[in-house]
Amino acid sequence: MDAQSRGRAENIDPADQWVLNPNTGEYELRLSNSAPQSPVPGPRASRRGRPAGPEAEHGRGGAPVREAPERDAEVPQPRRRRGAEPEPPPGRRNRRPVKKKSKAKKIVAWTGGGMALVLVAAGSAGYLYLKHLEGNVSATDVGSAAKQGFSKDDAFNILIIGTDRRTGKGNDHYGDKNSVGHADTNILLHVAKDRTNATALSIPRDLVGDVPDCETNQPDGSKKVIPGSSQVRFNESLGQEGRDAGCTMRTVKAVTGITPDHFMMVDFNAVKTLTTAVGGVQVCLKHAVQDKDSHLDLPAGPSKIEGEQALAFVRTRHAWGNAGDLDRIKVQQQFMGSLMRDMSSSDTLTNPTKLLDLAEAATKALTVDQGIKTVSTLKDIALELKKVPPKNITFMTVPVKDNPADGAIHKTVILNPDLAPAIFDAINGDVSFTDVKKKEKAAKDALAARLKGTRSAPSDVRVRIMNGGAVGGSAQAALIWMQTEKGILKSENAGNAPAEVSRTTLEYAPDQAPQARELAALMGLPGAALKPGKSVTNAQGLPTMSLTLGKDFKGAGVSLTAPAKAPEVTDKSTADKVECAS
């Protein structure tokens, strides 16, 4: 029996049983004649919600609500003096008013903005309700395409996929009637390791490239490798030939060199339900729009849209710019920024009913990989993203140019080879596209601290090289480059490392620091790659350093040092700014 039903059995409003414990900073369920229950994150609210404002701060009859005791592990029942009137049952006793500021601060601590952040509303209720929300989330097993878990200590990449599958009532006039759901909208969200910034990189659905072979899990438990395709639209990486979201993740890696850690997939209904849950999203238009295809009808200037109208807004193409997908992407990015601001506004954060509606809508809308299918993990992702200031969340699109193969009628695009690689390298190197001076200074200071001091001559550097996830033959190629190009003759190929690593590392003993600095300078190793530790013995019985080539190794002689500054991108926006679609 859940807390709500128990509360009703005692004729107590369940919302009155959630009180803030100032020692733990958590809301706890307090029942009569019982010890405090385990703390549950989130605002004090029942399944059916409790309105913010005066009603949330007072019990029935206007009695002020009292906060939880300061120290006691248990809440003893009060003793009645002889002849005194009996005290009202729990939930109806007079309580001290809860300060609005502290309550709002607590809710903000559990809430954020953005597509991933909507899930933090799951922290607004008790354990049983969390399990109910978890049952709303659909999960797809994409095998090795996604990580098995989520780390709160690392940078992470989440691929957000919006499909054009016509599911749900009222969606019959959108998308392809017979589509199984292609990758119609694609945003690769990179969140920096230090949480000072994030980048949302849109990938056009009409980008032409290669879709690699991908292994998929079939309903009967068997595995099937779906052959890749050459020079096809990016949106065919999902749905076509039975490809799943793991195929789209692998295609992102093939196109950009950036590895997605997880995916979140939504369909048409997600836009309608999420915008309705927050009570509408503020948008702005530079000119009035009446689109007969999407049925969007909005005046110039600001408007508040939700449901069917919100879906029409993000689906419309012919009303924006050159009536193509690239201009629609800009509008979708502006819409995303507005949705993030509305979800993190005080109107949403202090309204338990909205939060619970948002939790229901978000979890029902999502399909994710097995590694992040639990609500607690989704909440962790949301909280990590919430740490990023909106002004440092950058929206941009993969640089492209018209596909020459299309001829006079341009239908598709290809990567711009002059602009795209620098953007991909910056994201892979965890470099911000906004002015994060604190982050840049810390990175430079860390590199300087690791590389300062004397350096050895190349001929004195002793190192054994292992392949820890780089392409086959990388250790031997690095060995040949060191010996023939850099004069590091005391080097040897030690084969494969015991385990794969994502980043290249150089481990050295304290007395080998000058050798480590010299090798780092010659190879272009970042300061983070230098790992003080211990030496090993080489084939000649001498102490030597260990260089493990990770998945980030780009080839012998190719620097691994991330760019100190991201390339200039003219067509970008940030989540804190209000822009009008044109």
Side-chain angles (χ1 to χ4, degrees), residues 458-465 475-476 478-484 486-494 519 538-540 544-545 547:
S459 58
D460 293 330
V461 174
R462 292 191 298 271
V463 61
R464 63 198 297 265
I465 309 164
Q476 184 63 23
L479 176 69
I480 294 173
W481 176 81
M482 286 183 189
Q483 294 183 344
T484 60
K486 298 301 178 182
I488 304 176
L489 302 179
K490 298 175 183 178
S491 52
E492 63 183 31
N493 183 352
L519 185 59
N538 64 10
Q540 289 74 41
T544 183
M545 301 182 294
L547 175 67

Side-chain angles (χ1 to χ4, degrees), residues 65-84:
V65 178
R66 187 174 61 194
E67 288 184 320
E70 290 288 333
R71 291 170 297 183
D72 296 339
E74 295 187 1
V75 182
Q77 297 301 308
R79 290 179 295 181
R80 189 165 48 129
R81 296 191 305 272
R82 187 175 301 173

Side-chain angles (χ1 to χ4, degrees), residues 306-456:
E306 64 178 85
E308 191 72 31
Q309 198 174 40
L311 179 58
F313 184 84
V314 298
R315 288 288 302 166
T316 295
R317 277 194 304 170
H318 303 297
W320 317 125
N322 295 322
D325 191 48
L326 295 179
D327 288 303
R328 182 174 67 169
I329 287 174
K330 296 177 187 176
V331 174
Q332 290 174 342
Q333 292 171 347
Q334 294 164 10
F335 177 85
M336 284 282 291
S338 296
L339 180 59
M340 292 171 67
R341 290 191 297 272
D342 283 335
M343 285 191 297
S344 58
S345 70
S346 58
D347 287 344
T348 299
L349 302 183
T350 58
N351 189 325
T353 301
K354 273 190 179 182
L355 285 176
L356 296 181
D357 288 345
L358 194 55
E360 288 283 355
T363 51
K364 287 179 180 178
L366 277 179
T367 298
V368 300
D369 59 87
Q370 293 284 342
I372 57 173
K373 67 179 181 179
T374 65
V375 167
S376 60
T377 302
L378 292 170
K379 180 200 71 179
D380 288 342
I381 293 174
L383 291 176
E384 292 306 306
L385 183 53
K386 183 255 174 188
K387 296 176 182 177
V388 182
K391 68 178 181 179
N392 290 336
I393 300 177
T394 304
F395 291 99
M396 66 177 67
T397 304
V398 170
V400 296
K401 61 182 183 178
D402 290 332
N403 187 0
D406 285 344
I409 301 176
H410 300 300
K411 306 181 294 296
T412 60
V413 293
I414 59 174
L415 282 180
N416 186 323
D418 298 324
L419 302 178
I423 289 178
F424 300 155
D425 286 345
I427 294 175
N428 256 331
D430 205 21
V431 178
S432 174
F433 284 85
T434 56
D435 187 18
V436 187
K437 295 181 179 179
K438 181 180 178 181
K439 174 181 181 293
E440 293 175 356
K441 184 178 185 301
K444 291 179 181 178
D445 290 347
L447 179 60
R450 288 181 181 272
L451 297 182
K452 70 179 180 179
T454 59
R455 285 162 43 178
S456 297

Side-chain angles (χ1 to χ4, degrees), residues 10 104 177 217 231 400 407 419 485 490 522 542:
E10 299 175 11
K177 182 176 182 180
N217 293 291
Q231 295 302 293
V400 296
L419 302 178
E485 299 291 332
K490 298 175 183 178
L522 294 175
L542 298 173

